[in-house]
Amino acid sequence: MRLARRPVGDVGPDDWEHVTEAAAAPGAGRFAGRTRYISLDPAMRGWLDDRPSYLPPVGIGEVMRAASIVEVTESDHPDFQVGDLVTGAFGVQERVVSDGRGALKIDPAAASPSTYLGALGMPGLTAYFGLLDVGALKDGDTVVVSGAAGAVGSMVGQIAKAKGCRVIGIAGGAEKCALLTGELGFDAAIDYRTENVRKALRTHAPDGIDVYFDNVGGDVLDAALANLARHARVVICGAISQYNTTTGVQGPANYLALLVARARMEGFVIFDYAPRFTEAAREIGGWIAAGRIKVLEHVVKGTVDDFPATLQMLFRGENTGKLVLELD
Ligand code: NDP
């Protein structure tokens, strides 16, 4: 699946071109594989724009960048054998050839393969370091997370609960809110589509928010800023409400609340934590094994042709938990 042109606003079907080519043989020092699962991530929208960011944009005509799980089918690489399952940034394509750089073998006996794209992959690690390092989580903190029923948000809330904190999730729709307070054990949930978020936060966090983990930006960020406790930490993880804008990103109108609360707001990029990924994944794996964290996944079965429509699900709130495309 190649990028055909740069989208304006929402990404549409005409922004992509599905090209069929013969799969290459691996050659010396490489392996070839068949893609099993492709990760769908809000960040993909940013990679389609031609502007400076933490990664270069995907070029017109290039295979779309994506993390995936690949099964090795042929190998002339000493570290990868036929049948191994491997994760890496292999892109939206059915067949893959790799020299092994950036590829990591996964253990399907320890967790189902798609978990390595979600709870044990980038979203889980993002939640872990965003909350514990950037958010400097402390005992007794009141934590609020937006996008709470998504891949990152559901992990943030559950990690904060595992650490004994009070957790309030913000998500779209009654069903997602019921899941948060039911199955995932959040203390409260706010439906931003039907409730006044600013008022609801005042009710559920009467002493203010100690850590606000922001996945969505826009009005929800402003509502959280209006309810900060003294020395609060506002973690800027993402701002999905702003990714498809054609009129400019809406910044926080309420930023002086940081001054009043002596608070700080800090962004981060998960790739900077790479040296500590193994340590964090081990701890997350322990919580999952102990039943303290539930893995939330939304698996769509299809082909690479289903990639464009599946990507759009993220921007319509049609996923609950980590969205992955499982190739037939
Ligand atoms: P999610 O699984 O949370 O999926 C996206 C969710 O965002 C949707 O399900 C929807 O839930 C919500 N959403 C969509 N549009 C809007 C909107 N206009 N306003 C409010 N909510 C909206 O995705 P991820 O967990 O993968 O990513 C969450 C965030 O984390 C993103 O902002 C992403 O860019 C960021 N991120 C940042 C990283 C970093 O290194 N800083 C690394 C990885 C992710 P609902 O139904 O509740 O609206």
Side-chain angles (χ1 to χ4, degrees):
M1 189 61 67
R2 297 183 186 276
L3 181 64
R5 63 179 190 189
R6 302 228 169 266
V8 177
D10 290 349
V11 185
D14 297 341
D15 297 326
W16 306 101
E17 186 189 10
H18 185 181
V19 179
T20 303
E21 291 168 359
R30 293 167 174 258
F31 68 83
R34 162 176 93 84
T35 305
R36 298 272 306 275
Y37 298 90
I38 295 174
S39 176
L40 288 297
D41 295 276
M44 287 173 159
R45 179 64 190 85
W47 302 340
L48 305 180
D49 290 334
D50 191 9
R51 61 173 136 79
S53 188
Y54 59 93
L55 283 176
V58 176
I60 304 291
E62 276 177 20
V63 174
M64 178 56 189
R65 178 187 298 141
S68 63
I69 307 282
V70 158
E71 182 181 336
V72 176
T73 51
E74 246 182 290
S75 181
D76 191 9
H77 191 296
D79 300 336
F80 300 96
Q81 318 307 326
V82 171
D84 281 350
L85 289 177
V86 177
T87 181
F90 298 121
V92 183
Q93 49 186 347
E94 288 163 4
R95 300 276 169 172
V96 164
V97 171
S98 168
D99 61 8
R101 262 181 293 176
L104 265 184
K105 252 193 274 190
I106 63 164
D107 178 6
S112 75
S114 52
T115 317
Y116 292 91
L117 297 176
L120 288 174
M122 221 45 94
L125 297 165
T126 299
Y128 183 95
F129 290 109
L131 181 65
L132 303 181
D133 270 52
V134 188
L137 189 74
K138 294 199 299 282
D139 282 352
D141 275 349
T142 294
V143 176
V144 173
V145 56
S146 57
V152 174
S154 62
M155 291 296 289
V156 169
Q158 292 189 88
I159 293 171
K161 282 308 300 177
K163 295 276 184 187
C165 292
R166 178 172 161 75
V167 178
I168 301 152
I170 305 174
E175 211 173 305
K176 288 189 180 181
C177 287
L179 172 88
L180 296 178
T181 52
E183 211 175 313
L184 300 193
F186 285 40
D187 298 284
I190 299 168
D191 178 358
Y192 74 91
R193 297 215 186 113
T194 58
E195 292 182 63
N196 179 321
V197 178
R198 191 184 285 225
K199 274 195 194 150
L201 284 173
R202 203 172 308 139
T203 305
H204 294 301
D207 298 329
I209 302 165
D210 298 302
V211 178
Y212 173 56
F213 192 109
D214 192 27
N215 286 314
V216 307
D219 294 338
V220 173
L221 170 59
D222 263 324
L225 291 177
N227 284 280
L228 297 182
R230 199 174 268 207
H231 302 303
R233 287 82 69 201
V234 177
V235 181
I236 302 299
C237 175
I240 193 169
S241 74
Q242 305 300 307
Y243 293 173
N244 286 320
T245 183
T246 52
T247 52
V249 170
Q250 175 193 338
N254 220 353
Y255 80 94
L256 283 177
L258 296 169
L259 182 157
V260 177
R262 290 79 158 170
R264 70 174 164 82
M265 180 152 93
E266 185 175 343
F268 74 105
V269 173
I270 187 55
F271 303 136
D272 296 344
Y273 290 87
R276 294 170 57 196
F277 281 176
T278 311
E279 157 214 335
R282 197 172 300 127
E283 190 165 14
I284 295 170
W287 285 323
I288 295 172
R292 301 183 74 184
I293 284 190
K294 295 204 171 107
V295 172
L296 214 54
E297 285 182 358
H298 196 128
V299 180
V300 173
K301 294 192 181 194
T303 68
V304 292
D305 282 330
D306 297 303
F307 170 77
T310 311
L311 180 63
Q312 280 311 97
M313 290 174 65
L314 292 170
F315 298 93
R316 299 191 188 116
E318 290 169 356
N319 65 305
T320 301
K322 175 61 201 165
L323 183 63
V324 294
L325 177 61
E326 180 178 359
L327 297 194
D328 289 339

